[in-house]
Amino acid sequence: MLNRHARSFFTALFTPLARWLLKIGVSADAVTIIGTAGVVVGAVVFYPLGQLWWGTLFITAFIFSDVLDGIMARMQDVKSRWGNFLDSTLDRIADGALFAGLAIWFFTGGANTPIAVAAMACLVLGMVVSYARAKAESLGFTANVGIAERAERLVSVLVVTGFTGIGLPEAVLLVTLVLLAAASFITVIQRVVSVRRQALAEPSPAD
């Protein structure tokens, strides 16, 4: 939902920057790589040190590269399978770093094992959500259903994590992560059921 409703706003916001970057010779792939690197640094450096607020601000400065590179590709009228693959692969790295950074802090200095476990559950289930769709599409099925889209997951965890760093009760972060994990699990089930229905609807080899 967030992707659909916010796309036009962020496109208008970042189009001037995208145009300028293309003008000076920066490619969409470069923006994708730099953006992912920034998110990973923020997640695995700031978060494990307990700097949840500053880490979130640092990550936010780079997270919109995911919007910016898409605008740049469209402005160049480039529909590259390589670009799509790179973007999707690096998205998984960024997501994994985000939840891993949280888990490291709360397993160690943060001393809150339930939050750490919930973060690890989000990491694993988030990867399965993405894998289920990719595998389904590689087999000729579609699996673009589910209630846990990437944008919603990122916004939720970043906002709550950031405010936890400046005094929001940790219980709010725990509830958020548990809900995200539950939503991801439901999405996995939805995608499995969707693919199963498509498989059953296929004509059998004997037909």
Side-chain angles (χ1 to χ4, degrees):
M1 290 177 62
L2 182 66
N3 283 331
R4 292 190 294 271
H5 296 310
R7 187 181 303 276
S8 59
F9 171 76
F10 285 115
T11 297
L13 182 65
F14 288 111
T15 292
L17 176 59
R19 185 176 293 112
W20 178 75
L21 289 172
L22 289 172
K23 184 177 180 180
I24 65 173
V26 178
S27 68
D29 286 350
V31 170
T32 302
I33 294 168
I34 293 170
T36 300
V39 172
V40 170
V41 168
V44 303
V45 174
F46 286 92
Y47 281 179
L49 294 175
Q51 298 294 325
L52 303 184
W53 172 251
W54 293 111
T56 297
L57 291 182
F58 189 89
I59 290 168
T60 301
F62 288 93
I63 203 73
F64 288 107
S65 65
D66 198 42
V67 177
L68 184 59
D69 59 8
I71 296 172
M72 293 170 69
R74 288 192 295 274
M75 291 176 70
Q76 290 181 301
D77 196 24
V78 175
K79 296 180 180 179
S80 167
R81 289 192 298 170
W82 156 251
N84 186 283
F85 169 80
L86 179 67
D87 188 59
S88 181
T89 300
L90 295 187
D91 281 350
R92 305 290 81 73
I93 293 174
D95 293 358
L98 181 63
F99 289 109
L102 282 176
I104 291 170
W105 168 244
F106 285 106
F107 270 132
T108 56
N112 193 320
T113 301
I115 289 181
V117 171
M120 291 301 297
C122 287
L123 191 159
V124 173
L125 289 168
M127 296 300 169
V128 177
V129 166
S130 299
Y131 175 80
R133 178 173 178 173
K135 185 62 177 180
E137 292 176 350
S138 75
L139 296 172
F141 299 110
T142 59
N144 58 347
V145 297
I147 61 173
E149 294 187 15
R150 181 174 184 261
E152 279 85 347
R153 296 199 306 269
L154 284 180
V155 170
S156 298
V157 73
L158 284 173
V159 169
V160 177
T161 297
F163 282 108
T164 299
I166 56 173
L168 186 70
E170 291 184 353
V172 178
L173 179 57
L174 175 60
V175 170
T176 300
L177 291 172
V178 169
L179 291 175
L180 286 176
S184 296
F185 179 75
I186 292 170
T187 296
V188 171
I189 299 301
Q190 288 176 305
R191 292 185 174 183
V192 169
V193 170
S194 175
V195 172
R196 178 58 175 167
R197 287 173 176 167
Q198 293 171 64
L200 291 174
E202 288 186 323
S204 63
D207 290 344

